[in-house]
Amino acid sequence: DAKTTQPPSMDCAEGRAANLPCNHSTISGNEYVYWYRQIHSQGPQYIIHGLKNNETNEMASLIITEDRKSSTLILPHATLRDTAVYYCIVRAKAAGNKLTFGGGTRVLVKP
Amino acid sequence: NAGVTQTPKFQVLKTGQSMTLQCAQDMNHEYMSWYRQDPGMGLRLIHYSVGAGITDQGEVPNGYNVSRSTTEDFPLRLLSAAPSQTSVYFCASNARDRTPYEQYFGPGTRLTVT
């Protein structure tokens, strides 16, 4: 698995966009970037994933740099309910159902 | 759909006791996994299964057994509980025919071993 590096914590103002960076400089060509989040005391929740192209769904947008060595998860209009730990995970599709969670970024959305 | 369900929600054990954490999913997912999460830490994979009758070890399998007799159920057995097994346990499932890491997690079982 490619190692990922995320800032340990960040604050965001309610209603503003939250941009969460992730470095994965050793990513291989067949590895996807996945984002999960874990709201306090709950199980992790899948957010989004991507390979090369930018992706958007109802929860967030994922921007992957052209060299794929880093990515940014964007929460367009952060709400208090978005306060959580966000995990960036890099893994090959063929590697089975094993996820490796690192430390993640603890995001605090403030009113 | 109930999704992924886990029982019990809370459990206190004495050192040396055994117990089974239950996990069930109603989404007909082939893949199921067990993770543990210690305070302030990320999740670590204990055991996983890619289908009924097939299981394999994850990152921290010692002290735990699993079996997968049906698609729906994936119980985790603690053989002889130790204080080091105090943790929150999460079960997850995902479909084989989709991108495998869109995993669905249960609400967790909070286990304390005294």
Side-chain angles (χ1 to χ4, degrees):
Chain A
D1 289 354
K3 180 180 169 59
T4 62
T5 303
Q6 300 177 252
S9 65
M10 62 183 295
D11 294 346
C12 177
E14 186 180 19
R16 303 295 293 270
N19 297 309
L20 284 63
C22 179
N23 285 327
H24 31 80
S25 59
T26 60
I27 191 170
S28 299
N30 65 342
E31 290 182 316
Y32 287 72
V33 179
Y34 287 78
W35 284 84
Y36 279 74
R37 73 178 182 184
Q38 187 175 23
I39 296 171
H40 181 63
S41 298
Q42 298 181 20
Q45 176 189 22
Y46 164 83
I47 301 173
I48 198 167
H49 73 279
L51 182 63
K52 296 180 182 178
N53 301 322
N54 298 338
E55 302 287 345
T56 295
N57 63 20
E58 65 277 5
M59 290 182 66
S61 295
L62 174 61
I63 309 298
I64 303 173
T65 58
E66 191 168 345
D67 63 6
R68 301 208 327 121
K69 293 185 177 181
S70 66
S71 61
T72 300
L73 179 74
I74 300 173
L75 307 177
H77 304 288
T79 70
L80 299 179
R81 288 174 294 180
D82 291 323
T83 291
V85 178
Y86 288 77
Y87 296 99
C88 171
I89 299 167
V90 174
R91 188 73 164 152
K93 180 177 179 180
N97 57 330
K98 297 174 288 183
L99 287 175
T100 301
F101 288 81
T105 297
R106 188 172 299 273
V107 174
L108 176 61
V109 180
K110 296 182 175 181
Chain B
N1 287 351
V4 179
T5 58
Q6 293 182 239
T7 56
K9 285 186 170 56
F10 301 92
Q11 183 70 49
V12 179
L13 291 178
K14 295 187 188 303
T15 297
Q17 287 184 317
S18 63
M19 80 159 294
T20 299
L21 308 185
Q22 300 292 343
C23 174
Q25 53 93 8
D26 61 1
M27 297 173 282
N28 203 32
H29 286 168
E30 296 87 353
Y31 294 168
M32 297 186 75
S33 307
W34 275 104
Y35 297 84
R36 61 176 286 174
Q37 185 173 34
D38 299 333
M41 305 287 286
L43 282 76
R44 291 184 293 170
L45 182 66
I46 305 171
H47 284 286
Y48 65 99
S49 169
V50 298
I54 306 169
T55 64
D56 206 346
Q57 296 182 348
E59 181 185 357
V60 288
N62 293 341
Y64 307 94
N65 274 356
V66 293
S67 61
R68 184 97 180 270
S69 57
T70 67
T71 299
E72 295 78 19
D73 301 299
F74 191 42
L76 178 72
R77 299 183 187 83
L78 278 70
L79 307 173
S80 177
S84 61
Q85 294 178 304
T86 293
S87 191
V88 181
Y89 291 83
F90 291 101
C91 179
S93 75
N94 57 286
R96 184 179 61 192
D97 59 355
R98 295 180 188 170
T99 309
Y101 305 115
E102 191 171 337
Q103 288 194 353
Y104 296 83
F105 285 80
T109 293
R110 284 148 185 79
L111 176 68
T112 302
V113 182
T114 62

